[in-house]
Amino acid sequence: QVQLVESGGGLVQAGGSLRVSCAASGRTFSLYNIGWFRRTVDQEREFVAAVGWNGGSTAYADSVKGRFTISRDNAKNTVYLQMDSLKPEDAAAYYCAADFGPKRPGKPAPPVSSREYDYWGQGTQVTVSS
């Protein structure tokens, strides 16, 4: 089991940058795939980015490729999402989520479906002004 807490959200001008963090508790953090998802009012959670538990493989939504970078620091039990060139369309509540990697054979890439993630943080709000 892992507990997740997001931080770093705030207000930023379009074109600006922001880094949100996902801090986790637990001794087995390094065994979890960590994903970032976002949600606006009346919307389902949308995949943003994910980083794998084994070797740091990453995946990105097409809408953020080239602008967002996900990384992890297992020594700090933290995953980061660096968001550059922010657009008003990026405004949302951002959630991190954890999925126990070794439950799948073959060490696949981190999943991009929210259904695959078992543990969720409470979210951090990102607002982008025009």
Side-chain angles (χ1 to χ4, degrees):
Q1 189 174 26
V2 61
Q3 293 78 45
L4 308 172
V5 178
E6 302 94 335
S7 63
L11 174 65
V12 64
Q13 289 281 109
S17 297
L18 200 65
R19 187 178 75 166
V20 291
S21 300
C22 175
S25 64
R27 297 180 179 179
T28 58
F29 172 76
S30 64
L31 299 181
Y32 286 84
N33 300 307
I34 303 295
W36 282 100
F37 297 79
R38 64 190 183 189
R39 185 177 185 177
T40 56
V41 64
D42 298 323
Q43 299 293 316
E44 297 297 318
R45 289 187 175 94
E46 174 192 14
F47 171 74
V48 177
V51 61
W53 69 278
N54 182 38
S57 297
T58 59
Y60 295 93
D62 287 342
S63 60
V64 306
K65 285 181 179 177
R67 299 189 297 120
F68 290 11
T69 304
I70 189 170
S71 61
R72 69 189 300 161
D73 186 342
N74 287 337
K76 295 183 178 180
N77 273 21
T78 302
V79 169
Y80 306 97
L81 183 68
Q82 177 68 43
M83 301 181 287
D84 298 322
S85 301
L86 281 161
K87 304 175 181 179
E89 305 95 281
D90 296 318
Y94 282 72
Y95 300 84
C96 64
D99 161 64
F100 188 64
K103 70 184 180 183
R104 300 181 185 86
K107 300 177 181 179
V112 301
S113 172
S114 62
R115 302 189 310 272
E116 300 295 329
Y117 290 84
D118 300 310
Y119 308 102
W120 293 82
Q122 294 299 307
T124 186
Q125 182 67 44
V126 173
T127 303
V128 184
S129 61
S130 301

